[in-house]
Amino acid sequence: MTTPIALITGAGRGIGASIARRLRTDGFHVVIGDIDHATAGAIASELDGDASIFDVSDSAAVDAAVDAVVDAHGRLDVVVNNAGILETADDVIGRVAANMMAEPGTPPEPISVISTMTDEAWDRMLKVHLYGTFFVTRAALRHMEPARSGAIVNLASIYGLSGSAINSSYAVAKGGIVQLTRSVGAEVAPLGIRVNAVAPGFVDTDLLSRTPPPFIDAAVGTVPARRLGTADEVAEVVAFLASDRASVCNGEVWTLSGGWAGV
Ligand code: NAD
């Protein structure tokens, strides 16, 4: 039987690395896409896969990387658009913290997320998440459409559905991924290609490393399950959506939030 091929972006660590391990267990040959050479190489060698070093926000690099996977293996069965960043500015964190620690009844100071955001910071967030997901999806569909098969799973976020006062550019980018998933899912469903997304809540990875612990504690306090999710729990659902077991799923956005999404 031919070994199926999966490309996972941002798979050098965190949720992406867990997804790569899970798909390897499911019998895939995994291609570890990441901007970080060292981490991608380590996961690729652990899983007997390939490392593919590219920046998802560079459309020419994405085209070349996806074409290289198909040149090397003759097929591309699954793509997981997972690469991502979260860059909450220190001054925003400081203003939010000051409001959190203020005496009860004190009128809140403006946290000024949007009014202090630079063009560069806004562009970077949308480029990595929304453009990156579009670039990789476009390059993958050039191979999946003629094959009339394939599955794509996108990493959205609960913030892409709820919005976020502190991480608004992130929420906007993830909201775009939600609509990209629904739109492309509908477009390619007649071809037998499935495009779905997961929208996790708070997951215990390095992405949260710049978020001060009191913020994380406060966030966890709003989650009915009262804990962070794990990368392996997200990987489990991604692996399901990538598989034929999810044959009825197309253009779906699955929340994975410990109950937060229903609050
Ligand atoms: P992480 O920071 O642990 O890992 C992100 C990976 O993406 C890293 O290996 C990094 O090198 C890579 N990467 C970053 N920019 C890249 C680029 N331009 N091109 C290629 N690779 C790039 O983060 P994580 O928590 O594992 O997040 C994975 C995905 O899940 C992201 O899309 C994130 O937005 C989403 N997500 C995370 C959480 C959470 O709480 N951790 C919640 C919801 C959604």
Side-chain angles (χ1 to χ4, degrees), residues 8-19 33-37 39-40 52-58 62 81-86 124-125 127-129 132-133 154-159 170 174 177 198-209 228-229 231 234 256:
I8 308 104
T9 68
R13 70 180 194 201
I15 294 170
S18 285
I19 293 167
D34 209 290
I35 202 168
D36 185 323
H37 205 287
T39 57
S52 178
I53 310 306
F54 63 98
D55 179 344
V56 294
S57 69
D58 177 341
V62 167
N81 282 304
N82 167 82
I85 55 172
L86 183 66
R124 182 168 152 74
M125 192 60 73
K127 272 289 220 180
V128 171
H129 288 279
T133 301
N154 298 328
L155 269 287
S157 161
I158 205 73
Y159 283 159
Y170 179 87
K174 292 300 197 184
I177 290 173
V198 291
F202 308 104
V203 184
D204 190 7
T205 71
D206 289 341
L207 192 83
L208 303 183
S209 62
L228 299 172
V234 177
L256 312 174

Side-chain angles (χ1 to χ4, degrees), residues 48-121:
D48 203 16
D50 305 328
S52 178
I53 310 306
F54 63 98
D55 179 344
V56 294
S57 69
D58 177 341
S59 76
V62 167
D63 285 348
V66 172
D67 289 351
V69 173
V70 178
D71 286 348
H73 300 286
R75 57 191 297 144
L76 179 57
D77 300 280
V78 163
V79 165
V80 182
N81 282 304
N82 167 82
I85 55 172
L86 183 66
E87 296 180 328
T88 318
D90 288 338
D91 54 345
V92 168
I93 289 173
R95 291 191 288 272
V96 173
N99 280 343
M100 281 173 73
M101 288 180 302
E103 291 295 321
T106 309
E109 292 297 323
I111 59 172
S112 302
V113 177
I114 287 292
S115 58
T116 63
M117 177 144 344
T118 64
D119 293 0
E120 292 72 23

